Amino acid sequence: MKNHTKRNYPTVLTSAAAGSLIIGCLFANVVQAKQPFEFLVVGDSVVWGQGLAEKDKFYNLFGDWLRTDAFLGPRDVNIKVKAHSGSTVKFHPGDAEKYRKAGRDETYPFKPEVNVGFPSMSKQIEVAAAEYRAAGGSGADLIMLTGCITDISTSLVYDPKGDDDELRREVQKYCRDDMYDVIESAAELHPKALIAVVGYFPAIGPNSSGKKLLNAWLEALGASGFRKAMLNNPIVRPLFFNKLKKRAIERSHIWVEESDKSLKSAVDKLNSKYGTTRAVFIRSPLTLDDGAETPNTKLFRMGKNGVVNDPLAKSRIKDCNEALPKLKAETGIEFPIRLCEIAAIGHPNPEGARAYAESIKTALAPLISRSAQ
């Protein structure tokens, strides 16, 4: 019996060692497969989620799906947010020169609800890449962004007296040409990243209430209660505002159609350069029926006393009144405080954010699940 035990003992050891080795290799593969997924959010107020509580932002809703369902099992997801209200695609030369003279760097911090153009998307992507490298990584796995409307300005986009051809030229410059430069840089600085370029929505439609739109416009202009009562009544309003509203709807249509076309063109050009899918364009899920001051709007409305009905309104008003006078005093760059205070108006509310998250999930699910296999 002893001899029999001795003869088989080495065999038992070998089997145990082999089993341990197999289990170890499997564990190592699981660990490697379960490395945290790096999700970077850059751009302007739409992707930032202006006015939304953190839990309601569409990047966060999408992040929850990544953690639980996207990879056929739980996965750690790190969300790095560089987006903020007002961000331009690139640092505009005039602002850059004023910053230089003031001794400021483009990364000077502002509260993200304060709608200033800097740091630009280009700088956000660059800074994030440096942070990933400093932590031993090679960049983001997914970059989600919205951008280019702030370069043009919403006042120009929806200007009822604006030149339509000029609007188209502006859109091509910022949403196609400048956006291509930025996503090309993102692809180089984050070599494994899939880049999700998310589109804008039609803010004004036929079902938008003329009374409520005019009220919001007058509030933005800081009109007195007496002036609002004089202009926004059933007798006076149709005499001048109906025509303005019609033109604003036309401009809204041009904006969405041209920006979709330009953003998609930038994405297609990048994919052609790499010969594979490095970027995806995702159209907005919001329609004319979801627009500003429609019966079933998915956007924040103007509330009572000129305060937007978003949960961050009170803190944003405080931040705007602290940051913008200081910015003007130190650099000469001026942003209207009143427009900063009401910046959430016309941005996706929680319902709108959920629609965005679902649309993004539908578009990216096949690509992400394929990468997890």
Side-chain angles (χ1 to χ4, degrees):
M1 178 66 71
K2 289 183 180 179
N3 290 339
H4 178 74
T5 303
K6 287 181 180 179
R7 282 198 304 271
N8 286 282
Y9 190 58
T11 305
V12 173
L13 276 178
T14 302
S15 299
S20 298
L21 181 61
I22 291 170
I23 292 170
C25 290
L26 289 173
F27 180 74
N29 287 334
V30 168
V31 170
Q32 185 176 10
K34 296 297 184 180
Q35 288 297 311
F37 186 83
E38 300 296 344
F39 176 21
L40 172 62
V41 181
V42 300
D44 62 20
S45 57
V46 175
V47 77
W48 157 245
Q50 184 98 50
L52 290 165
E54 186 66 23
K55 65 181 178 63
D56 293 323
K57 295 176 187 288
F58 67 74
Y59 67 73
N60 227 343
L61 299 173
F62 181 76
D64 289 341
W65 173 77
L66 286 175
R67 292 185 181 97
T68 57
D69 298 323
F71 301 100
L72 310 178
R75 178 82 176 267
D76 288 338
V77 175
N78 295 327
I79 305 180
K80 184 187 292 289
V81 181
K82 296 296 183 183
H84 65 87
S85 178
S87 174
T88 53
V89 177
K90 297 180 180 179
F91 198 11
H92 288 194
D95 291 342
E97 177 61 16
K98 289 178 180 179
Y99 252 42
R100 185 191 65 78
K101 289 181 178 179
R104 273 195 184 186
D105 184 81
E106 189 185 349
T107 58
Y108 183 93
F110 289 88
K111 298 287 181 66
E113 282 283 305
V114 178
N115 58 342
V116 294
F118 24 78
S120 64
M121 289 171 59
S122 179
K123 179 60 70 173
Q124 293 169 30
I125 290 165
E126 177 188 322
V127 169
E131 290 175 356
Y132 284 125
R133 288 195 300 271
S138 59
D141 296 298
L142 173 66
I143 301 174
M144 183 183 295
L145 63 88
T146 62
C148 76
I149 193 170
T150 50
D151 297 83
I152 302 167
S153 83
T154 53
S155 60
L156 189 149
V157 167
Y158 299 109
D159 181 4
K161 297 182 179 180
D163 181 275
D164 293 348
D165 289 335
E166 179 190 6
L167 175 57
R168 290 186 178 96
R169 288 191 295 270
E170 291 284 292
V171 171
Q172 288 172 4
K173 170 176 169 48
Y174 293 111
C175 303
R176 184 191 65 191
D177 301 340
D178 281 7
M179 181 60 74
Y180 174 76
D181 291 343
V182 169
I183 63 174
E184 182 186 41
S185 173
E188 293 171 355
L189 292 171
H190 303 264
K192 60 182 179 177
L194 174 66
I195 303 168
V197 179
V198 182
Y200 293 95
F201 49 89
I204 303 173
N207 294 329
S208 296
S209 165
K211 178 181 179 179
K212 292 178 179 178
L213 284 177
L214 180 53
N215 178 67
W217 183 42
L218 293 171
E219 284 287 355
L221 295 173
S224 65
F226 174 76
R227 189 178 179 192
K228 286 190 291 183
M230 286 287 293
L231 295 174
N232 199 1
N233 64 71
I235 298 174
V236 177
R237 186 171 58 250
L239 298 177
F240 76 101
F241 190 68
N242 286 359
K243 186 178 291 186
L244 295 178
K245 177 187 172 185
K246 181 180 178 181
R247 274 293 289 149
I249 292 171
E250 292 171 355
R251 298 278 287 182
S252 179
H253 175 76
I254 292 170
W255 157 247
V256 173
E257 184 179 64
E258 294 296 322
S259 64
D260 277 2
K261 188 188 304 180
S262 289
L263 292 169
K264 186 176 185 304
S265 177
V267 164
D268 290 345
K269 184 177 178 181
L270 185 73
N271 290 338
S272 178
K273 174 183 176 178
Y274 280 92
T276 188
T277 303
R278 287 301 311 272
V280 179
F281 173 65
I282 304 169
R283 284 185 172 82
S284 170
L286 305 189
T287 68
L288 289 171
D289 290 336
D290 304 317
E293 302 298 355
T294 58
N296 299 310
T297 184
K298 290 185 173 66
L299 309 177
F300 283 121
R301 301 177 184 269
M302 180 66 76
K304 295 181 179 180
N305 302 317
V307 178
V308 184
N309 66 343
D310 69 282
L312 302 186
K314 185 177 293 186
S315 61
R316 182 176 58 254
I317 290 171
K318 177 176 179 292
D319 292 339
C320 293
N321 281 274
E322 289 177 354
L324 296 185
K326 182 181 179 183
L327 174 66
K328 181 181 178 181
E330 294 181 357
T331 69
I333 299 172
E334 185 173 7
F335 288 90
I337 294 176
R338 180 58 182 153
L339 295 185
C340 181
E341 292 175 339
I342 63 171
I345 192 168
H347 282 80
N349 61 19
E351 187 179 0
R354 287 194 294 273
Y356 259 103
E358 286 299 315
S359 182
I360 294 167
K361 182 177 74 174
T362 299
L364 297 186
L367 295 169
I368 291 176
S369 62
R370 193 181 309 154
S371 69
Q373 292 174 355

